[in-house]
Amino acid sequence: MNLCIKGKLVSGKGTGAKFVSLPIYETIFSKYLENKIYHGTLNLELLPKYIQILDKKFESSLTYPSMTYNGKNYGGIKIIKIKIKYQNKNTIGLAVRPLKSTHNPNILEIVSDINFRDTLNIKNGDILEFEL
């Protein structure tokens, strides 16, 4: 059974683009999206009832431990492949949970091969639905 979760689009802190553009992360994300990734993340604010559901899914998700790149240590990540639905449009993405994060637990970062804001014509405050 597919599980649908909703979240409100919010602005990020601007650090997602920096990390997803690093070759160690870009290689992982591109592998699961089977395409080059867009160098940025989409941030969704989740309702409390969805946080617990997603946390449980992340417990059994693909996990990459901390990694070293150019002599610097980077935090690990957990990944779940998702389908994003918005106004009769569907696209594939990855729900990403950094093992080190400054985001509140109710913020979910999503990576894809597209710029969601431009492609789906979405803005802060819009509600997006995604399927696990």
Side-chain angles (χ1 to χ4, degrees), residues 42-72:
L42 186 75
N43 294 278
L44 295 180
E45 182 179 1
L46 305 175
L47 293 173
K49 67 179 180 178
Y50 294 128
I51 296 169
Q52 293 174 347
I53 294 167
L54 208 52
D55 283 347
K56 195 166 193 78
K57 283 289 194 182
F58 273 118
E59 285 176 10
S60 61
S61 68
L62 295 166
T63 303
Y64 288 84
S66 297
M67 300 165 262
T68 302
Y69 176 71
N70 284 345
K72 188 172 178 184

PDB file of all heavy atoms in Angstrom, residues 42-72:
ATOM      1  N   LEU A  42      14.233  20.958  -1.999  1.00  0.00           N
ATOM      2  CA  LEU A  42      12.908  21.491  -1.730  1.00  0.00           C
ATOM      3  C   LEU A  42      12.627  21.169  -0.271  1.00  0.00           C
ATOM      4  O   LEU A  42      12.854  20.044   0.175  1.00  0.00           O
ATOM      5  CB  LEU A  42      11.880  20.803  -2.628  1.00  0.00           C
ATOM      6  CG  LEU A  42      10.471  21.353  -2.572  1.00  0.00           C
ATOM      7  CD1 LEU A  42      10.411  22.679  -3.332  1.00  0.00           C
ATOM      8  CD2 LEU A  42       9.500  20.364  -3.186  1.00  0.00           C
ATOM      9  N   ASN A  43      12.155  22.143   0.477  1.00  0.00           N
ATOM     10  CA  ASN A  43      11.881  21.945   1.901  1.00  0.00           C
ATOM     11  C   ASN A  43      10.386  21.969   2.160  1.00  0.00           C
ATOM     12  O   ASN A  43       9.702  22.924   1.771  1.00  0.00           O
ATOM     13  CB  ASN A  43      12.567  23.032   2.731  1.00  0.00           C
ATOM     14  CG  ASN A  43      14.061  22.914   2.654  1.00  0.00           C
ATOM     15  OD1 ASN A  43      14.654  22.125   3.354  1.00  0.00           O
ATOM     16  ND2 ASN A  43      14.675  23.686   1.780  1.00  0.00           N
ATOM     17  N   LEU A  44       9.905  20.908   2.798  1.00  0.00           N
ATOM     18  CA  LEU A  44       8.496  20.818   3.161  1.00  0.00           C
ATOM     19  C   LEU A  44       8.353  20.772   4.672  1.00  0.00           C
ATOM     20  O   LEU A  44       9.065  20.037   5.350  1.00  0.00           O
ATOM     21  CB  LEU A  44       7.855  19.560   2.563  1.00  0.00           C
ATOM     22  CG  LEU A  44       7.760  19.470   1.055  1.00  0.00           C
ATOM     23  CD1 LEU A  44       7.096  18.164   0.652  1.00  0.00           C
ATOM     24  CD2 LEU A  44       7.003  20.646   0.475  1.00  0.00           C
ATOM     25  N   GLU A  45       7.417  21.564   5.168  1.00  0.00           N
ATOM     26  CA  GLU A  45       7.080  21.540   6.589  1.00  0.00           C
ATOM     27  C   GLU A  45       5.940  20.550   6.772  1.00  0.00           C
ATOM     28  O   GLU A  45       4.866  20.713   6.180  1.00  0.00           O
ATOM     29  CB  GLU A  45       6.656  22.932   7.042  1.00  0.00           C
ATOM     30  CG  GLU A  45       6.339  23.023   8.500  1.00  0.00           C
ATOM     31  CD  GLU A  45       5.954  24.435   8.910  1.00  0.00           C
ATOM     32  OE1 GLU A  45       5.911  25.345   8.057  1.00  0.00           O
ATOM     33  OE2 GLU A  45       5.665  24.613  10.099  1.00  0.00           O
ATOM     34  N   LEU A  46       6.196  19.523   7.565  1.00  0.00           N
ATOM     35  CA  LEU A  46       5.227  18.443   7.745  1.00  0.00           C
ATOM     36  C   LEU A  46       4.385  18.650   8.996  1.00  0.00           C
ATOM     37  O   LEU A  46       4.857  19.218   9.981  1.00  0.00           O
ATOM     38  CB  LEU A  46       5.951  17.097   7.859  1.00  0.00           C
ATOM     39  CG  LEU A  46       6.891  16.732   6.712  1.00  0.00           C
ATOM     40  CD1 LEU A  46       7.609  15.432   7.032  1.00  0.00           C
ATOM     41  CD2 LEU A  46       6.142  16.623   5.407  1.00  0.00           C
ATOM     42  N   LEU A  47       3.150  18.156   8.947  1.00  0.00           N
ATOM     43  CA  LEU A  47       2.313  18.137  10.137  1.00  0.00           C
ATOM     44  C   LEU A  47       2.864  17.082  11.088  1.00  0.00           C
ATOM     45  O   LEU A  47       3.448  16.080  10.654  1.00  0.00           O
ATOM     46  CB  LEU A  47       0.873  17.790   9.765  1.00  0.00           C
ATOM     47  CG  LEU A  47       0.133  18.814   8.924  1.00  0.00           C
ATOM     48  CD1 LEU A  47      -1.222  18.265   8.500  1.00  0.00           C
ATOM     49  CD2 LEU A  47      -0.043  20.111   9.692  1.00  0.00           C
ATOM     50  N   PRO A  48       2.675  17.264  12.424  1.00  0.00           N
ATOM     51  CA  PRO A  48       3.219  16.300  13.398  1.00  0.00           C
ATOM     52  C   PRO A  48       2.855  14.839  13.117  1.00  0.00           C
ATOM     53  O   PRO A  48       3.680  13.959  13.284  1.00  0.00           O
ATOM     54  CB  PRO A  48       2.620  16.773  14.724  1.00  0.00           C
ATOM     55  CG  PRO A  48       2.434  18.245  14.529  1.00  0.00           C
ATOM     56  CD  PRO A  48       2.031  18.398  13.072  1.00  0.00           C
ATOM     57  N   LYS A  49       1.616  14.579  12.648  1.00  0.00           N
ATOM     58  CA  LYS A  49       1.216  13.176  12.410  1.00  0.00           C
ATOM     59  C   LYS A  49       2.055  12.528  11.318  1.00  0.00           C
ATOM     60  O   LYS A  49       2.249  11.319  11.302  1.00  0.00           O
ATOM     61  CB  LYS A  49      -0.268  13.070  12.082  1.00  0.00           C
ATOM     62  CG  LYS A  49      -0.682  13.684  10.766  1.00  0.00           C
ATOM     63  CD  LYS A  49      -2.178  13.495  10.534  1.00  0.00           C
ATOM     64  CE  LYS A  49      -2.617  14.101   9.228  1.00  0.00           C
ATOM     65  NZ  LYS A  49      -4.040  13.877   8.975  1.00  0.00           N
ATOM     66  N   TYR A  50       2.572  13.314  10.384  1.00  0.00           N
ATOM     67  CA  TYR A  50       3.393  12.767   9.308  1.00  0.00           C
ATOM     68  C   TYR A  50       4.848  12.575   9.728  1.00  0.00           C
ATOM     69  O   TYR A  50       5.548  11.730   9.173  1.00  0.00           O
ATOM     70  CB  TYR A  50       3.333  13.669   8.071  1.00  0.00           C
ATOM     71  CG  TYR A  50       1.975  13.733   7.425  1.00  0.00           C
ATOM     72  CD1 TYR A  50       1.368  14.947   7.164  1.00  0.00           C
ATOM     73  CD2 TYR A  50       1.283  12.575   7.066  1.00  0.00           C
ATOM     74  CE1 TYR A  50       0.117  15.015   6.566  1.00  0.00           C
ATOM     75  CE2 TYR A  50       0.038  12.636   6.472  1.00  0.00           C
ATOM     76  CZ  TYR A  50      -0.541  13.853   6.224  1.00  0.00           C
ATOM     77  OH  TYR A  50      -1.772  13.916   5.630  1.00  0.00           O
ATOM     78  N   ILE A  51       5.297  13.332  10.709  1.00  0.00           N
ATOM     79  CA  ILE A  51       6.691  13.224  11.168  1.00  0.00           C
ATOM     80  C   ILE A  51       6.955  11.821  11.700  1.00  0.00           C
ATOM     81  O   ILE A  51       7.940  11.178  11.342  1.00  0.00           O
ATOM     82  CB  ILE A  51       7.006  14.278  12.248  1.00  0.00           C
ATOM     83  CG1 ILE A  51       6.884  15.683  11.654  1.00  0.00           C
ATOM     84  CG2 ILE A  51       8.416  14.067  12.815  1.00  0.00           C
ATOM     85  CD1 ILE A  51       6.909  16.784  12.691  1.00  0.00           C
ATOM     86  N   GLN A  52       6.066  11.321  12.539  1.00  0.00           N
ATOM     87  CA  GLN A  52       6.243   9.985  13.117  1.00  0.00           C
ATOM     88  C   GLN A  52       6.202   8.901  12.047  1.00  0.00           C
ATOM     89  O   GLN A  52       6.980   7.952  12.086  1.00  0.00           O
ATOM     90  CB  GLN A  52       5.185   9.724  14.186  1.00  0.00           C
ATOM     91  CG  GLN A  52       5.343  10.602  15.401  1.00  0.00           C
ATOM     92  CD  GLN A  52       4.210  10.430  16.396  1.00  0.00           C
ATOM     93  OE1 GLN A  52       3.172   9.837  16.095  1.00  0.00           O
ATOM     94  NE2 GLN A  52       4.409  10.948  17.602  1.00  0.00           N
ATOM     95  N   ILE A  53       5.293   9.040  11.095  1.00  0.00           N
ATOM     96  CA  ILE A  53       5.195   8.061  10.009  1.00  0.00           C
ATOM     97  C   ILE A  53       6.488   8.045   9.201  1.00  0.00           C
ATOM     98  O   ILE A  53       7.045   6.987   8.894  1.00  0.00           O
ATOM     99  CB  ILE A  53       3.991   8.383   9.089  1.00  0.00           C
ATOM    100  CG1 ILE A  53       2.684   8.195   9.849  1.00  0.00           C
ATOM    101  CG2 ILE A  53       4.026   7.533   7.832  1.00  0.00           C
ATOM    102  CD1 ILE A  53       1.458   8.764   9.152  1.00  0.00           C
ATOM    103  N   LEU A  54       6.975   9.224   8.859  1.00  0.00           N
ATOM    104  CA  LEU A  54       8.193   9.329   8.051  1.00  0.00           C
ATOM    105  C   LEU A  54       9.418   8.841   8.826  1.00  0.00           C
ATOM    106  O   LEU A  54      10.280   8.169   8.267  1.00  0.00           O
ATOM    107  CB  LEU A  54       8.386  10.772   7.586  1.00  0.00           C
ATOM    108  CG  LEU A  54       9.135  10.971   6.291  1.00  0.00           C
ATOM    109  CD1 LEU A  54       8.560  10.153   5.154  1.00  0.00           C
ATOM    110  CD2 LEU A  54       9.172  12.432   5.917  1.00  0.00           C
ATOM    111  N   ASP A  55       9.492   9.176  10.115  1.00  0.00           N
ATOM    112  CA  ASP A  55      10.607   8.701  10.939  1.00  0.00           C
ATOM    113  C   ASP A  55      10.663   7.177  10.920  1.00  0.00           C
ATOM    114  O   ASP A  55      11.738   6.586  10.818  1.00  0.00           O
ATOM    115  CB  ASP A  55      10.485   9.207  12.380  1.00  0.00           C
ATOM    116  CG  ASP A  55      10.877  10.663  12.531  1.00  0.00           C
ATOM    117  OD1 ASP A  55      11.473  11.232  11.587  1.00  0.00           O
ATOM    118  OD2 ASP A  55      10.583  11.237  13.598  1.00  0.00           O
ATOM    119  N   LYS A  56       9.510   6.540  10.995  1.00  0.00           N
ATOM    120  CA  LYS A  56       9.454   5.067  10.972  1.00  0.00           C
ATOM    121  C   LYS A  56       9.948   4.539   9.623  1.00  0.00           C
ATOM    122  O   LYS A  56      10.688   3.564   9.559  1.00  0.00           O
ATOM    123  CB  LYS A  56       8.034   4.602  11.264  1.00  0.00           C
ATOM    124  CG  LYS A  56       7.917   3.148  11.609  1.00  0.00           C
ATOM    125  CD  LYS A  56       6.547   2.866  12.202  1.00  0.00           C
ATOM    126  CE  LYS A  56       6.468   1.535  12.843  1.00  0.00           C
ATOM    127  NZ  LYS A  56       7.063   1.451  14.153  1.00  0.00           N
ATOM    128  N   LYS A  57       9.543   5.198   8.522  1.00  0.00           N
ATOM    129  CA  LYS A  57      10.004   4.792   7.185  1.00  0.00           C
ATOM    130  C   LYS A  57      11.518   4.967   7.050  1.00  0.00           C
ATOM    131  O   LYS A  57      12.195   4.150   6.444  1.00  0.00           O
ATOM    132  CB  LYS A  57       9.298   5.604   6.100  1.00  0.00           C
ATOM    133  CG  LYS A  57       7.900   5.163   5.825  1.00  0.00           C
ATOM    134  CD  LYS A  57       7.915   3.824   5.121  1.00  0.00           C
ATOM    135  CE  LYS A  57       6.572   3.505   4.532  1.00  0.00           C
ATOM    136  NZ  LYS A  57       6.555   2.198   3.899  1.00  0.00           N
ATOM    137  N   PHE A  58      12.040   6.064   7.599  1.00  0.00           N
ATOM    138  CA  PHE A  58      13.476   6.315   7.510  1.00  0.00           C
ATOM    139  C   PHE A  58      14.297   5.286   8.293  1.00  0.00           C
ATOM    140  O   PHE A  58      15.447   5.045   7.978  1.00  0.00           O
ATOM    141  CB  PHE A  58      13.833   7.728   7.977  1.00  0.00           C
ATOM    142  CG  PHE A  58      13.754   8.768   6.892  1.00  0.00           C
ATOM    143  CD1 PHE A  58      12.868   9.827   6.983  1.00  0.00           C
ATOM    144  CD2 PHE A  58      14.581   8.692   5.773  1.00  0.00           C
ATOM    145  CE1 PHE A  58      12.800  10.790   5.982  1.00  0.00           C
ATOM    146  CE2 PHE A  58      14.521   9.638   4.771  1.00  0.00           C
ATOM    147  CZ  PHE A  58      13.632  10.692   4.878  1.00  0.00           C
ATOM    148  N   GLU A  59      13.692   4.658   9.312  1.00  0.00           N
ATOM    149  CA  GLU A  59      14.404   3.631  10.085  1.00  0.00           C
ATOM    150  C   GLU A  59      14.849   2.473   9.196  1.00  0.00           C
ATOM    151  O   GLU A  59      15.884   1.866   9.438  1.00  0.00           O
ATOM    152  CB  GLU A  59      13.513   3.102  11.215  1.00  0.00           C
ATOM    153  CG  GLU A  59      13.368   4.054  12.362  1.00  0.00           C
ATOM    154  CD  GLU A  59      12.404   3.539  13.425  1.00  0.00           C
ATOM    155  OE1 GLU A  59      11.990   2.350  13.369  1.00  0.00           O
ATOM    156  OE2 GLU A  59      12.060   4.338  14.317  1.00  0.00           O
ATOM    157  N   SER A  60      14.065   2.162   8.165  1.00  0.00           N
ATOM    158  CA  SER A  60      14.402   1.030   7.293  1.00  0.00           C
ATOM    159  C   SER A  60      14.795   1.492   5.884  1.00  0.00           C
ATOM    160  O   SER A  60      14.748   0.716   4.942  1.00  0.00           O
ATOM    161  CB  SER A  60      13.218   0.061   7.214  1.00  0.00           C
ATOM    162  OG  SER A  60      12.090   0.721   6.673  1.00  0.00           O
ATOM    163  N   SER A  61      15.181   2.748   5.754  1.00  0.00           N
ATOM    164  CA  SER A  61      15.511   3.296   4.438  1.00  0.00           C
ATOM    165  C   SER A  61      16.978   3.040   4.071  1.00  0.00           C
ATOM    166  O   SER A  61      17.764   2.557   4.884  1.00  0.00           O
ATOM    167  CB  SER A  61      15.236   4.796   4.415  1.00  0.00           C
ATOM    168  OG  SER A  61      16.152   5.470   5.258  1.00  0.00           O
ATOM    169  N   LEU A  62      17.309   3.396   2.831  1.00  0.00           N
ATOM    170  CA  LEU A  62      18.705   3.343   2.402  1.00  0.00           C
ATOM    171  C   LEU A  62      19.502   4.312   3.267  1.00  0.00           C
ATOM    172  O   LEU A  62      19.108   5.466   3.426  1.00  0.00           O
ATOM    173  CB  LEU A  62      18.831   3.780   0.945  1.00  0.00           C
ATOM    174  CG  LEU A  62      18.162   2.910  -0.097  1.00  0.00           C
ATOM    175  CD1 LEU A  62      18.086   3.646  -1.427  1.00  0.00           C
ATOM    176  CD2 LEU A  62      18.963   1.637  -0.262  1.00  0.00           C
ATOM    177  N   THR A  63      20.600   3.842   3.830  1.00  0.00           N
ATOM    178  CA  THR A  63      21.405   4.691   4.710  1.00  0.00           C
ATOM    179  C   THR A  63      22.848   4.689   4.253  1.00  0.00           C
ATOM    180  O   THR A  63      23.422   3.638   3.980  1.00  0.00           O
ATOM    181  CB  THR A  63      21.321   4.195   6.173  1.00  0.00           C
ATOM    182  OG1 THR A  63      19.949   4.180   6.576  1.00  0.00           O
ATOM    183  CG2 THR A  63      22.125   5.097   7.098  1.00  0.00           C
ATOM    184  N   TYR A  64      23.392   5.880   4.152  1.00  0.00           N
ATOM    185  CA  TYR A  64      24.814   6.057   3.848  1.00  0.00           C
ATOM    186  C   TYR A  64      25.451   6.702   5.063  1.00  0.00           C
ATOM    187  O   TYR A  64      25.027   7.773   5.486  1.00  0.00           O
ATOM    188  CB  TYR A  64      24.998   6.953   2.618  1.00  0.00           C
ATOM    189  CG  TYR A  64      24.605   6.278   1.341  1.00  0.00           C
ATOM    190  CD1 TYR A  64      23.279   6.264   0.922  1.00  0.00           C
ATOM    191  CD2 TYR A  64      25.548   5.620   0.554  1.00  0.00           C
ATOM    192  CE1 TYR A  64      22.900   5.617  -0.247  1.00  0.00           C
ATOM    193  CE2 TYR A  64      25.175   4.973  -0.617  1.00  0.00           C
ATOM    194  CZ  TYR A  64      23.854   4.986  -1.008  1.00  0.00           C
ATOM    195  OH  TYR A  64      23.487   4.339  -2.158  1.00  0.00           O
ATOM    196  N   PRO A  65      26.484   6.053   5.642  1.00  0.00           N
ATOM    197  CA  PRO A  65      27.128   6.610   6.840  1.00  0.00           C
ATOM    198  C   PRO A  65      27.954   7.848   6.487  1.00  0.00           C
ATOM    199  O   PRO A  65      28.059   8.235   5.327  1.00  0.00           O
ATOM    200  CB  PRO A  65      28.020   5.461   7.306  1.00  0.00           C
ATOM    201  CG  PRO A  65      28.312   4.681   6.066  1.00  0.00           C
ATOM    202  CD  PRO A  65      27.093   4.822   5.191  1.00  0.00           C
ATOM    203  N   SER A  66      28.527   8.447   7.499  1.00  0.00           N
ATOM    204  CA  SER A  66      29.403   9.602   7.289  1.00  0.00           C
ATOM    205  C   SER A  66      30.446   9.274   6.241  1.00  0.00           C
ATOM    206  O   SER A  66      30.892   8.137   6.117  1.00  0.00           O
ATOM    207  CB  SER A  66      30.096   9.983   8.595  1.00  0.00           C
ATOM    208  OG  SER A  66      29.139  10.376   9.543  1.00  0.00           O
ATOM    209  N   MET A  67      30.824  10.287   5.458  1.00  0.00           N
ATOM    210  CA  MET A  67      31.754  10.103   4.344  1.00  0.00           C
ATOM    211  C   MET A  67      32.858  11.144   4.408  1.00  0.00           C
ATOM    212  O   MET A  67      32.677  12.207   4.995  1.00  0.00           O
ATOM    213  CB  MET A  67      30.993  10.254   3.025  1.00  0.00           C
ATOM    214  CG  MET A  67      29.868   9.264   2.850  1.00  0.00           C
ATOM    215  SD  MET A  67      28.748   9.749   1.526  1.00  0.00           S
ATOM    216  CE  MET A  67      27.447  10.534   2.455  1.00  0.00           C
ATOM    217  N   THR A  68      33.978  10.826   3.768  1.00  0.00           N
ATOM    218  CA  THR A  68      35.093  11.768   3.686  1.00  0.00           C
ATOM    219  C   THR A  68      35.299  12.143   2.225  1.00  0.00           C
ATOM    220  O   THR A  68      35.304  11.296   1.346  1.00  0.00           O
ATOM    221  CB  THR A  68      36.389  11.146   4.251  1.00  0.00           C
ATOM    222  OG1 THR A  68      36.138  10.760   5.607  1.00  0.00           O
ATOM    223  CG2 THR A  68      37.547  12.129   4.209  1.00  0.00           C
ATOM    224  N   TYR A  69      35.457  13.451   1.985  1.00  0.00           N
ATOM    225  CA  TYR A  69      35.700  13.965   0.643  1.00  0.00           C
ATOM    226  C   TYR A  69      36.735  15.077   0.751  1.00  0.00           C
ATOM    227  O   TYR A  69      36.570  16.009   1.540  1.00  0.00           O
ATOM    228  CB  TYR A  69      34.395  14.486   0.031  1.00  0.00           C
ATOM    229  CG  TYR A  69      34.574  15.131  -1.320  1.00  0.00           C
ATOM    230  CD1 TYR A  69      34.880  14.360  -2.436  1.00  0.00           C
ATOM    231  CD2 TYR A  69      34.472  16.502  -1.468  1.00  0.00           C
ATOM    232  CE1 TYR A  69      35.066  14.941  -3.669  1.00  0.00           C
ATOM    233  CE2 TYR A  69      34.654  17.092  -2.703  1.00  0.00           C
ATOM    234  CZ  TYR A  69      34.950  16.312  -3.804  1.00  0.00           C
ATOM    235  OH  TYR A  69      35.136  16.900  -5.024  1.00  0.00           O
ATOM    236  N   ASN A  70      37.814  14.935  -0.010  1.00  0.00           N
ATOM    237  CA  ASN A  70      38.919  15.906   0.022  1.00  0.00           C
ATOM    238  C   ASN A  70      39.400  16.169   1.440  1.00  0.00           C
ATOM    239  O   ASN A  70      39.655  17.316   1.826  1.00  0.00           O
ATOM    240  CB  ASN A  70      38.524  17.216  -0.655  1.00  0.00           C
ATOM    241  CG  ASN A  70      38.530  17.101  -2.163  1.00  0.00           C
ATOM    242  OD1 ASN A  70      39.077  16.157  -2.733  1.00  0.00           O
ATOM    243  ND2 ASN A  70      37.917  18.071  -2.819  1.00  0.00           N
ATOM    244  N   GLY A  71      39.483  15.102   2.242  1.00  0.00           N
ATOM    245  CA  GLY A  71      39.998  15.210   3.595  1.00  0.00           C
ATOM    246  C   GLY A  71      39.028  15.787   4.614  1.00  0.00           C
ATOM    247  O   GLY A  71      39.385  15.979   5.773  1.00  0.00           O
ATOM    248  N   LYS A  72      37.796  16.051   4.217  1.00  0.00           N
ATOM    249  CA  LYS A  72      36.799  16.623   5.130  1.00  0.00           C
ATOM    250  C   LYS A  72      35.676  15.619   5.358  1.00  0.00           C
ATOM    251  O   LYS A  72      35.243  14.944   4.429  1.00  0.00           O
ATOM    252  CB  LYS A  72      36.238  17.918   4.535  1.00  0.00           C
ATOM    253  CG  LYS A  72      35.359  18.672   5.476  1.00  0.00           C
ATOM    254  CD  LYS A  72      34.979  20.037   4.912  1.00  0.00           C
ATOM    255  CE  LYS A  72      34.059  20.738   5.888  1.00  0.00           C
ATOM    256  NZ  LYS A  72      33.568  22.003   5.399  1.00  0.00           N
TER     257      LYS A  72
END
